[in-house]
Amino acid sequence: MNITKCIDSAGQTRVALVENGNLIPLQTTAELPTLAAILAAENPQAAAASLARDQPLAIDDSTQWLPPIDQQEVWAAGVTYKRSQTARMEESEAAASCYDRVYNADRPEIFFKATPSRVSGHQQPLRIRTDAKWNVPEPEITLVLSPKLKIVGLTVGNDMSSRDIEGENPLYLPQAKCYDQCAGLGPWITLMDELPSADAITVDLKIVRDGNIVFDQATSAAEMARKFDDLVQWLGRDNTMADGAFLMTGTGIVPTSDFTLLPDDVVNITIGGVGTLSNRIVQGAGS
């Protein structure tokens, strides 16, 4: 079951199912007033199925997607793939031992990524910083967590990063990671009772510039050095997620140092069994 948020033909924000090329707006109730409330239910799929449906809306170029988030926090894990460890060590000699140690340590790197207002949905813009020269997308399998930190589904995540800022000094990580339009989520949440095998959760990144694919690479969760459940339990240590959370699980695809995003690039990230998140890149005030 795929569930998301959108703006309907009357201009109203709606929770909707995605079925057969259509959005099916749901009639929320006092007991289930929001998407977050559905995700917090004991059985989110049953909760969504219990709501009455409005007439389908065909998905086309006029569809106004919203990120499938309410008030949840967005967190992210780093250096969970071998390629990510290598890339981080390439960024900076000063940081190399830091990233090497965290890759092999019991405690993972987990950091705060975004507030909901900094998240973009499918076909909404994502931003590269004006004070950075090396900006990349980071395609990530993103866990959707209930307030009890139960994994209730997956979505596609883009953990945008300013690599030169992070590489200059690891203490600059928050500035490299957290800013306006710094995170992409969507196009929907795929609700799951049980996650598929790691090798079935594939990740594909394609970057389009002037109509041409300028970057194309793929990996899968089977290449991760960390387990999803382990990342979640570390996130939950001495940490309460009253509204639930999204946890980006790290990237195994990192463009080389001679590649940086440019304004008007289109980043397409596909997670196997979930869907494709597409975002145009912007930069500067008023974008």
Side-chain angles (χ1 to χ4, degrees), residues 90-209:
E90 290 169 351
E91 281 176 359
S92 166
E93 290 184 13
S97 63
C98 238
Y99 292 112
D100 189 41
R101 287 199 304 272
V102 78
Y103 180 79
N104 293 293
D106 289 336
R107 182 186 294 271
E109 178 193 19
I110 295 180
F111 57 90
F112 184 81
K113 173 61 183 179
T115 55
S117 66
R118 293 181 171 89
V119 177
S120 295
H122 182 53
Q123 297 181 349
Q124 293 182 328
L126 286 173
R127 181 174 298 274
I128 52 177
R129 294 183 64 111
T130 56
D131 60 355
K133 296 180 180 179
W134 184 14
N135 300 287
V136 297
E138 294 190 0
E140 306 199 11
I141 301 162
T142 301
L143 308 178
V144 183
L145 306 176
S146 73
K148 295 180 180 179
L149 295 186
K150 176 185 177 182
I151 302 172
V152 297
L154 300 177
T155 191
V156 184
N158 186 345
D159 173 19
M160 296 285 287
S161 185
S162 297
R163 295 279 302 281
D164 53 338
I165 293 176
E166 181 182 358
E168 184 177 346
N169 191 316
L171 296 180
Y172 295 159
L173 179 70
Q175 295 173 76
K177 292 286 190 179
C178 189
Y179 52 89
D180 290 345
Q181 297 169 308
C182 66
L185 291 175
W188 48 71
I189 294 167
T190 299
L191 297 174
M192 297 178 176
D193 293 324
E194 184 175 333
L195 297 183
S197 63
D199 58 357
I201 309 176
T202 55
V203 184
D204 179 88
L205 170 64
K206 290 182 173 63
I207 301 173
V208 178
R209 180 176 297 162

Side-chain angles (χ1 to χ4, degrees), residues 224-245:
M224 291 182 66
R226 306 276 185 177
K227 302 298 185 184
F228 292 150
D229 288 340
D230 186 53
L231 292 173
V232 172
Q233 68 89 14
W234 280 103
L235 174 65
R237 292 191 180 193
D238 292 283
N239 212 357
T240 301
M241 304 292 173
D243 299 302

